[in-house]
Amino acid sequence: MSVPCLLSTAARSFTLPGVSGVLLSRFRVLCPCSITRKMSSRRQMDHLERTASNYRQDGVYPAQVCGIMDESETVKRLRLAVHPDFTFRAGQWVDFFIPGMEKVGGFSVCSSPGLLQKEGVIELAVKYTQHPPAHWIHTKCTMDSHVAMRVGGNFFFDPLPSDPSVDLLLVAGGVGINPLYSILLHAADLLRQNPANAGRGYHIGSTHLCYSAKNTQELLFKKSIINVCKEFPEKFSCDFHVTAQTADINQELQPYMNRGRLSEGGLRRHVDPNTTLCYLCGPPPMIESVVQTLLSLGLSQERILFEKWW
């Protein structure tokens, strides 16, 4: 039986949390593919190939779409109800299985682990492309659609209470904001759980987000990001960058806006070689440029974590 057939069966047997007769369908999907960062073929690697060497959970969990909204003109945001045993760390992605479709999607979770704990849901923000899973989300996915997901990824922020405090520098390009938004929300949740670093949990440092997109329309989650910065002005800050903005910038956004690409000067203000831990996600050319800049500013390689999704 093919993977899509198995998933279709699992989806039909899934009951949402809180409903009697909850049934968990967990099984392994064997993926006989290998990965290299550079391929001799011009064929673009798909998600399973790119991430074949990454950590993956064993379980594949059915899920049900319980919310769909337009995050921008090109990005749809899905809310999915998941089984209580589903877990993830801020920054990780999911293999996204659609019944009847051979291609497997790969999408970073953009919500926080705290939302999962409180409401039993996660959120994904997916940009429109012709890639079958993303195209399905934009053209065929509806409320109550059944899918299945498996969590994976080595790119996450999940400190233990005893871990040393770090100052987070989050650098995002385009839809690379997704895992970093999850990390930002998780950092805010940790601060709410341990106000004024009262000794009951992880000692949270500062968090600064540098986020670049073509225009303000493509700056996802911008209002929520600003709200977090206003809630914790001494701990959270952000800089938005737009590279192709022609219209006037909304007055509310102006204090946070910069025209043009990220600069060395903008990064320098938020780099301390002793305390900064940087997470980057975006187009490979942007990541490669920012990594070289951070290294030149004295940040060690082990303090620079990145994920390339293109």
Side-chain angles (χ1 to χ4, degrees):
M1 184 181 291
S2 67
V3 169
C5 290
L6 283 170
L7 292 172
S8 181
T9 301
R12 287 196 297 270
S13 65
F14 176 56
T15 306
L16 287 178
V19 180
S20 60
V22 172
L23 176 63
L24 169 65
S25 297
R26 295 186 65 177
F27 54 91
R28 296 174 186 268
V29 176
L30 300 179
C31 179
C33 50
S34 61
I35 181 170
T36 55
R37 282 295 174 186
K38 295 182 180 179
M39 298 184 70
S40 58
S41 169
R42 293 184 179 180
R43 181 181 62 83
Q44 185 177 4
M45 290 185 292
D46 67 17
H47 166 68
L48 292 181
E49 289 177 301
R50 284 197 307 270
T51 61
S53 63
N54 284 196
Y55 162 80
R56 275 179 165 81
Q57 293 180 2
D58 288 335
V60 177
Y61 294 88
Q64 186 171 337
V65 176
C66 59
I68 306 174
M69 65 172 288
D70 292 328
E71 188 64 34
S72 75
E73 291 180 355
T74 60
V75 176
K76 282 196 180 291
R77 188 168 177 175
L78 296 187
R79 176 169 282 210
L80 298 121
V82 297
H83 191 275
D85 285 351
F86 180 97
T87 62
F88 77 100
R89 293 170 169 176
Q92 289 186 306
W93 39 258
V94 294
D95 296 330
F96 195 82
F97 300 95
I98 300 166
M101 182 178 293
E102 183 177 355
K103 279 287 184 185
V104 177
F107 307 116
S108 293
V109 181
C110 65
S111 54
S112 70
L115 180 66
L116 174 61
Q117 293 171 2
K118 291 176 184 177
E119 301 184 25
V121 300
I122 68 164
E123 294 184 340
L124 308 174
V126 180
K127 188 166 185 173
Y128 177 84
T129 70
Q130 288 295 323
H131 189 254
H135 191 262
W136 179 87
I137 286 171
H138 277 261
T139 61
K140 296 183 179 180
C141 180
T142 62
M143 290 286 289
D144 300 325
S145 287
H146 288 274
V147 297
M149 298 182 295
R150 173 177 55 195
V151 173
N154 308 316
F155 182 86
F156 57 82
F157 177 65
D158 185 28
L160 297 172
S162 58
D163 285 342
S165 178
V166 296
D167 295 320
L168 293 177
L169 173 59
L170 311 177
V171 182
V175 289
I177 186 62
N178 282 331
L180 303 185
Y181 182 57
S182 176
I183 290 173
L184 181 143
L185 293 177
H186 185 50
D189 285 344
L190 290 174
L191 190 56
R192 295 185 187 102
Q193 293 166 12
N194 187 24
N197 295 313
R200 294 190 298 274
Y202 177 70
H203 186 94
I204 193 76
S206 65
T207 300
H208 180 75
L209 170 68
C210 294
Y211 180 16
S212 177
K214 289 182 179 180
N215 53 57
T216 55
Q217 174 65 225
E218 292 300 314
L219 287 170
L220 310 181
F221 321 121
K222 51 188 174 288
K223 291 185 178 179
S224 297
I225 291 167
I226 290 172
N227 287 339
V228 170
C229 294
K230 288 181 177 179
E231 182 180 358
F232 302 109
E234 296 181 358
K235 288 287 188 179
F236 286 78
S237 57
C238 66
D239 289 321
F240 297 139
H241 295 256
V242 288
T243 59
Q245 179 82 15
T246 55
D248 292 337
I249 294 174
N250 182 287
Q251 187 173 359
E252 183 184 4
L253 297 178
Q254 287 180 3
Y256 308 93
M257 294 302 307
N258 300 271
R259 290 184 182 270
R261 300 184 185 280
L262 299 172
S263 67
E264 178 180 335
L267 293 171
R268 184 188 300 275
R269 294 192 296 272
H270 303 284
V271 172
D272 182 328
N274 297 314
T275 63
T276 300
L277 179 63
C278 182
Y279 289 82
L280 300 93
C281 189
M286 184 207 81
I287 289 180
E288 290 159 9
S289 174
V290 172
V291 167
Q292 291 306 311
T293 298
L294 293 173
L295 291 173
S296 72
L297 294 174
L299 198 60
S300 61
Q301 187 71 60
E302 58 266 25
R303 286 183 169 269
I304 304 172
L305 309 174
F306 59 83
E307 189 159 65
K308 299 178 181 179
W309 273 100
W310 285 264

